[in-house]
Amino acid sequence: TNAAAALFNLVCGNGRNKILVRRSGGVRLLCSCLSSPSEKLQDLASGILFMLSFDEHSRLDMQDSVQELVAALSSDTDTVIMNVTGVLWNMSIEEESQELSGSVDGAN
């Protein structure tokens, strides 16, 4: 969680660092952290993803992780739920993201 906390600080308000995180595959890794047993890690990862979700390219990268994002909505931590809701909201503005129904098991 220390690395995630440091990454949170580096990304906060720094567009260049957000780009570096995205280009290095950080979006996928952060999405996988949403299922961690550590609530602190879930909280930090969801916060970073929320900050990244304001970037068009990051939102497109998040399309492959819709299942993890939706699953995180059942978290016991309110900040995780709020952050993930914000990510999904921001993703909904992308035309490419509006056709994700086949990405989630059981969706028609």
Side-chain angles (χ1 to χ4, degrees):
T1 57
N2 289 340
L7 186 59
F8 185 94
N9 289 334
L10 289 169
V11 168
C12 190
N14 189 314
R16 180 173 162 79
N17 286 344
K18 290 176 187 177
I19 292 169
L20 292 171
V21 168
R22 181 182 58 78
R23 286 185 179 167
S24 66
V27 170
R28 184 76 189 114
L29 181 61
L30 289 163
C31 286
S32 70
C33 291
L34 294 174
S35 60
S36 168
S38 167
E39 288 183 358
K40 180 70 174 169
L41 182 55
Q42 291 175 25
D43 187 41
L44 289 164
S46 68
I48 297 166
L49 288 166
F50 179 66
M51 288 186 277
L52 293 175
S53 73
F54 289 93
D55 170 67
E56 175 184 4
H57 299 289
S58 293
R59 287 192 301 267
L60 294 174
D61 288 350
M62 291 175 194
Q63 287 183 7
D64 294 333
S65 301
V66 170
Q67 212 164 357
E68 290 95 336
L69 291 164
V70 171
L73 292 173
S74 63
S75 172
D76 294 329
T77 307
D78 289 342
T79 55
V80 171
I81 295 169
M82 289 188 310
N83 286 332
V84 171
T85 300
V87 169
L88 293 169
W89 177 268
N90 289 341
M91 287 178 67
S92 73
I93 65 173
E94 294 295 331
E95 284 186 38
E96 293 88 350
S97 296
Q98 292 177 0
E99 296 186 25
L100 292 174
S101 60
S103 300
V104 181
D105 289 340
N108 295 324

PDB file of all heavy atoms in Angstrom, residues 67-87:
ATOM      1  N   GLN A  67     -15.581  -5.324 -15.751  1.00  0.00           N
ATOM      2  CA  GLN A  67     -16.011  -6.347 -14.795  1.00  0.00           C
ATOM      3  C   GLN A  67     -15.436  -6.075 -13.399  1.00  0.00           C
ATOM      4  O   GLN A  67     -16.159  -6.161 -12.403  1.00  0.00           O
ATOM      5  CB  GLN A  67     -15.579  -7.725 -15.286  1.00  0.00           C
ATOM      6  CG  GLN A  67     -16.529  -8.805 -14.896  1.00  0.00           C
ATOM      7  CD  GLN A  67     -16.296 -10.062 -15.721  1.00  0.00           C
ATOM      8  OE1 GLN A  67     -15.479 -10.108 -16.612  1.00  0.00           O
ATOM      9  NE2 GLN A  67     -17.050 -11.087 -15.399  1.00  0.00           N
ATOM     10  N   GLU A  68     -14.159  -5.743 -13.329  1.00  0.00           N
ATOM     11  CA  GLU A  68     -13.535  -5.435 -12.038  1.00  0.00           C
ATOM     12  C   GLU A  68     -14.132  -4.181 -11.423  1.00  0.00           C
ATOM     13  O   GLU A  68     -14.351  -4.101 -10.214  1.00  0.00           O
ATOM     14  CB  GLU A  68     -12.018  -5.262 -12.174  1.00  0.00           C
ATOM     15  CG  GLU A  68     -11.273  -6.544 -12.468  1.00  0.00           C
ATOM     16  CD  GLU A  68     -11.032  -6.758 -13.953  1.00  0.00           C
ATOM     17  OE1 GLU A  68     -11.778  -6.206 -14.789  1.00  0.00           O
ATOM     18  OE2 GLU A  68     -10.088  -7.498 -14.281  1.00  0.00           O
ATOM     19  N   LEU A  69     -14.405  -3.184 -12.259  1.00  0.00           N
ATOM     20  CA  LEU A  69     -14.988  -1.938 -11.758  1.00  0.00           C
ATOM     21  C   LEU A  69     -16.386  -2.171 -11.201  1.00  0.00           C
ATOM     22  O   LEU A  69     -16.712  -1.713 -10.101  1.00  0.00           O
ATOM     23  CB  LEU A  69     -15.024  -0.890 -12.878  1.00  0.00           C
ATOM     24  CG  LEU A  69     -13.662  -0.367 -13.314  1.00  0.00           C
ATOM     25  CD1 LEU A  69     -13.757   0.340 -14.660  1.00  0.00           C
ATOM     26  CD2 LEU A  69     -13.072   0.557 -12.262  1.00  0.00           C
ATOM     27  N   VAL A  70     -17.201  -2.914 -11.918  1.00  0.00           N
ATOM     28  CA  VAL A  70     -18.563  -3.196 -11.448  1.00  0.00           C
ATOM     29  C   VAL A  70     -18.520  -4.027 -10.166  1.00  0.00           C
ATOM     30  O   VAL A  70     -19.274  -3.767  -9.223  1.00  0.00           O
ATOM     31  CB  VAL A  70     -19.391  -3.892 -12.550  1.00  0.00           C
ATOM     32  CG1 VAL A  70     -20.720  -4.395 -12.013  1.00  0.00           C
ATOM     33  CG2 VAL A  70     -19.608  -2.928 -13.718  1.00  0.00           C
ATOM     34  N   ALA A  71     -17.630  -4.996 -10.112  1.00  0.00           N
ATOM     35  CA  ALA A  71     -17.510  -5.819  -8.898  1.00  0.00           C
ATOM     36  C   ALA A  71     -17.126  -4.971  -7.691  1.00  0.00           C
ATOM     37  O   ALA A  71     -17.571  -5.237  -6.568  1.00  0.00           O
ATOM     38  CB  ALA A  71     -16.488  -6.929  -9.119  1.00  0.00           C
ATOM     39  N   ALA A  72     -16.321  -3.939  -7.913  1.00  0.00           N
ATOM     40  CA  ALA A  72     -15.884  -3.071  -6.806  1.00  0.00           C
ATOM     41  C   ALA A  72     -17.028  -2.254  -6.230  1.00  0.00           C
ATOM     42  O   ALA A  72     -16.915  -1.727  -5.110  1.00  0.00           O
ATOM     43  CB  ALA A  72     -14.758  -2.152  -7.277  1.00  0.00           C
ATOM     44  N   LEU A  73     -18.139  -2.165  -6.934  1.00  0.00           N
ATOM     45  CA  LEU A  73     -19.300  -1.441  -6.407  1.00  0.00           C
ATOM     46  C   LEU A  73     -19.907  -2.135  -5.187  1.00  0.00           C
ATOM     47  O   LEU A  73     -20.679  -1.531  -4.456  1.00  0.00           O
ATOM     48  CB  LEU A  73     -20.366  -1.266  -7.495  1.00  0.00           C
ATOM     49  CG  LEU A  73     -19.993  -0.336  -8.634  1.00  0.00           C
ATOM     50  CD1 LEU A  73     -21.066  -0.388  -9.715  1.00  0.00           C
ATOM     51  CD2 LEU A  73     -19.779   1.091  -8.141  1.00  0.00           C
ATOM     52  N   SER A  74     -19.536  -3.382  -4.952  1.00  0.00           N
ATOM     53  CA  SER A  74     -20.033  -4.099  -3.768  1.00  0.00           C
ATOM     54  C   SER A  74     -19.070  -3.990  -2.586  1.00  0.00           C
ATOM     55  O   SER A  74     -19.228  -4.684  -1.590  1.00  0.00           O
ATOM     56  CB  SER A  74     -20.292  -5.568  -4.109  1.00  0.00           C
ATOM     57  OG  SER A  74     -19.084  -6.189  -4.483  1.00  0.00           O
ATOM     58  N   SER A  75     -18.106  -3.092  -2.692  1.00  0.00           N
ATOM     59  CA  SER A  75     -17.128  -2.886  -1.621  1.00  0.00           C
ATOM     60  C   SER A  75     -17.819  -2.421  -0.336  1.00  0.00           C
ATOM     61  O   SER A  75     -18.891  -1.811  -0.362  1.00  0.00           O
ATOM     62  CB  SER A  75     -16.111  -1.819  -2.057  1.00  0.00           C
ATOM     63  OG  SER A  75     -15.266  -1.469  -0.982  1.00  0.00           O
ATOM     64  N   ASP A  76     -17.192  -2.704   0.784  1.00  0.00           N
ATOM     65  CA  ASP A  76     -17.680  -2.227   2.075  1.00  0.00           C
ATOM     66  C   ASP A  76     -17.199  -0.808   2.369  1.00  0.00           C
ATOM     67  O   ASP A  76     -17.582  -0.227   3.383  1.00  0.00           O
ATOM     68  CB  ASP A  76     -17.199  -3.157   3.202  1.00  0.00           C
ATOM     69  CG  ASP A  76     -17.818  -4.543   3.101  1.00  0.00           C
ATOM     70  OD1 ASP A  76     -18.960  -4.649   2.615  1.00  0.00           O
ATOM     71  OD2 ASP A  76     -17.149  -5.511   3.507  1.00  0.00           O
ATOM     72  N   THR A  77     -16.382  -0.268   1.493  1.00  0.00           N
ATOM     73  CA  THR A  77     -15.780   1.052   1.715  1.00  0.00           C
ATOM     74  C   THR A  77     -16.474   2.088   0.833  1.00  0.00           C
ATOM     75  O   THR A  77     -16.468   1.984  -0.394  1.00  0.00           O
ATOM     76  CB  THR A  77     -14.272   1.009   1.387  1.00  0.00           C
ATOM     77  OG1 THR A  77     -13.678  -0.074   2.125  1.00  0.00           O
ATOM     78  CG2 THR A  77     -13.592   2.297   1.753  1.00  0.00           C
ATOM     79  N   ASP A  78     -17.056   3.095   1.478  1.00  0.00           N
ATOM     80  CA  ASP A  78     -17.800   4.123   0.742  1.00  0.00           C
ATOM     81  C   ASP A  78     -16.950   4.862  -0.276  1.00  0.00           C
ATOM     82  O   ASP A  78     -17.423   5.166  -1.377  1.00  0.00           O
ATOM     83  CB  ASP A  78     -18.419   5.138   1.707  1.00  0.00           C
ATOM     84  CG  ASP A  78     -19.570   4.564   2.511  1.00  0.00           C
ATOM     85  OD1 ASP A  78     -20.121   3.516   2.117  1.00  0.00           O
ATOM     86  OD2 ASP A  78     -19.921   5.167   3.545  1.00  0.00           O
ATOM     87  N   THR A  79     -15.693   5.150   0.060  1.00  0.00           N
ATOM     88  CA  THR A  79     -14.863   5.904  -0.890  1.00  0.00           C
ATOM     89  C   THR A  79     -14.565   5.085  -2.137  1.00  0.00           C
ATOM     90  O   THR A  79     -14.485   5.642  -3.231  1.00  0.00           O
ATOM     91  CB  THR A  79     -13.539   6.389  -0.250  1.00  0.00           C
ATOM     92  OG1 THR A  79     -12.852   5.277   0.309  1.00  0.00           O
ATOM     93  CG2 THR A  79     -13.788   7.443   0.801  1.00  0.00           C
ATOM     94  N   VAL A  80     -14.427   3.784  -1.990  1.00  0.00           N
ATOM     95  CA  VAL A  80     -14.214   2.922  -3.157  1.00  0.00           C
ATOM     96  C   VAL A  80     -15.447   2.981  -4.054  1.00  0.00           C
ATOM     97  O   VAL A  80     -15.338   3.161  -5.271  1.00  0.00           O
ATOM     98  CB  VAL A  80     -13.905   1.464  -2.741  1.00  0.00           C
ATOM     99  CG1 VAL A  80     -13.897   0.547  -3.955  1.00  0.00           C
ATOM    100  CG2 VAL A  80     -12.572   1.389  -2.007  1.00  0.00           C
ATOM    101  N   ILE A  81     -16.616   2.870  -3.465  1.00  0.00           N
ATOM    102  CA  ILE A  81     -17.859   2.916  -4.227  1.00  0.00           C
ATOM    103  C   ILE A  81     -18.000   4.262  -4.939  1.00  0.00           C
ATOM    104  O   ILE A  81     -18.332   4.323  -6.125  1.00  0.00           O
ATOM    105  CB  ILE A  81     -19.073   2.635  -3.318  1.00  0.00           C
ATOM    106  CG1 ILE A  81     -19.004   1.200  -2.796  1.00  0.00           C
ATOM    107  CG2 ILE A  81     -20.386   2.882  -4.061  1.00  0.00           C
ATOM    108  CD1 ILE A  81     -19.983   0.894  -1.689  1.00  0.00           C
ATOM    109  N   MET A  82     -17.716   5.350  -4.233  1.00  0.00           N
ATOM    110  CA  MET A  82     -17.824   6.676  -4.849  1.00  0.00           C
ATOM    111  C   MET A  82     -16.816   6.853  -5.983  1.00  0.00           C
ATOM    112  O   MET A  82     -17.153   7.370  -7.053  1.00  0.00           O
ATOM    113  CB  MET A  82     -17.634   7.773  -3.797  1.00  0.00           C
ATOM    114  CG  MET A  82     -18.800   7.885  -2.843  1.00  0.00           C
ATOM    115  SD  MET A  82     -18.743   9.307  -1.716  1.00  0.00           S
ATOM    116  CE  MET A  82     -17.115   9.197  -1.030  1.00  0.00           C
ATOM    117  N   ASN A  83     -15.576   6.430  -5.754  1.00  0.00           N
ATOM    118  CA  ASN A  83     -14.557   6.564  -6.795  1.00  0.00           C
ATOM    119  C   ASN A  83     -14.895   5.734  -8.030  1.00  0.00           C
ATOM    120  O   ASN A  83     -14.784   6.212  -9.161  1.00  0.00           O
ATOM    121  CB  ASN A  83     -13.180   6.149  -6.262  1.00  0.00           C
ATOM    122  CG  ASN A  83     -12.580   7.176  -5.341  1.00  0.00           C
ATOM    123  OD1 ASN A  83     -12.857   8.369  -5.441  1.00  0.00           O
ATOM    124  ND2 ASN A  83     -11.742   6.725  -4.423  1.00  0.00           N
ATOM    125  N   VAL A  84     -15.298   4.493  -7.823  1.00  0.00           N
ATOM    126  CA  VAL A  84     -15.616   3.614  -8.949  1.00  0.00           C
ATOM    127  C   VAL A  84     -16.859   4.117  -9.682  1.00  0.00           C
ATOM    128  O   VAL A  84     -16.919   4.079 -10.915  1.00  0.00           O
ATOM    129  CB  VAL A  84     -15.778   2.150  -8.481  1.00  0.00           C
ATOM    130  CG1 VAL A  84     -16.328   1.275  -9.586  1.00  0.00           C
ATOM    131  CG2 VAL A  84     -14.430   1.615  -8.008  1.00  0.00           C
ATOM    132  N   THR A  85     -17.833   4.616  -8.956  1.00  0.00           N
ATOM    133  CA  THR A  85     -19.005   5.208  -9.591  1.00  0.00           C
ATOM    134  C   THR A  85     -18.581   6.378 -10.480  1.00  0.00           C
ATOM    135  O   THR A  85     -19.062   6.520 -11.609  1.00  0.00           O
ATOM    136  CB  THR A  85     -20.033   5.671  -8.539  1.00  0.00           C
ATOM    137  OG1 THR A  85     -20.446   4.536  -7.771  1.00  0.00           O
ATOM    138  CG2 THR A  85     -21.236   6.323  -9.175  1.00  0.00           C
ATOM    139  N   GLY A  86     -17.659   7.185  -9.985  1.00  0.00           N
ATOM    140  CA  GLY A  86     -17.135   8.299 -10.772  1.00  0.00           C
ATOM    141  C   GLY A  86     -16.405   7.828 -12.020  1.00  0.00           C
ATOM    142  O   GLY A  86     -16.543   8.426 -13.090  1.00  0.00           O
ATOM    143  N   VAL A  87     -15.635   6.763 -11.881  1.00  0.00           N
ATOM    144  CA  VAL A  87     -14.924   6.206 -13.039  1.00  0.00           C
ATOM    145  C   VAL A  87     -15.936   5.750 -14.085  1.00  0.00           C
ATOM    146  O   VAL A  87     -15.819   6.082 -15.275  1.00  0.00           O
ATOM    147  CB  VAL A  87     -14.018   5.015 -12.621  1.00  0.00           C
ATOM    148  CG1 VAL A  87     -13.507   4.272 -13.848  1.00  0.00           C
ATOM    149  CG2 VAL A  87     -12.857   5.505 -11.763  1.00  0.00           C
TER     150      VAL A  87
END
